[in-house]
Amino acid sequence: MTIALTIIQLLAGLFLIMVILLQSGKSAGLSGAIAGGADTFMSKGKAKTLDKKLAKMTKWVALTFVVLTLVLNLI
């Protein structure tokens, strides 16, 4: 059981890293404002919804990772 939980924790950690790296940086908005921002309104809305989904996914995967860490520590 410990090995299975360790493998799940490893996969959750790798997935957490992937989700964090997929998010756009906070400084990306500033460079777009200075350059004039050639994006249309619809493309900006899609990017925000994707970032919101990634942020929500990051919270849940991080919570899962922390719970798995605590469970493995207690075993």
Side-chain angles (χ1 to χ4, degrees):
M1 182 169 167
T2 305
I3 295 173
L5 287 175
T6 304
I7 292 172
I8 293 171
Q9 184 185 24
L10 177 67
L11 292 175
L14 291 173
F15 188 66
L16 182 62
I17 291 170
M18 183 184 71
V19 169
I20 290 172
L21 289 176
L22 284 174
Q23 293 180 12
S24 63
K26 298 293 182 190
S27 63
L30 183 60
S31 66
I34 294 172
D39 293 334
T40 63
F41 178 72
M42 294 300 285
S43 67
K44 285 185 180 179
K46 288 181 182 178
K48 285 185 181 178
T49 58
L50 179 62
D51 281 341
K52 286 182 182 179
K53 288 179 184 178
L54 287 173
K56 186 182 283 189
M57 196 180 305
T58 301
K59 291 176 189 174
W60 284 108
V61 175
L63 180 66
T64 304
F65 185 80
V66 169
V67 168
L68 281 171
T69 302
L70 292 174
V71 168
L72 282 169
N73 194 20
L74 292 174
I75 291 180

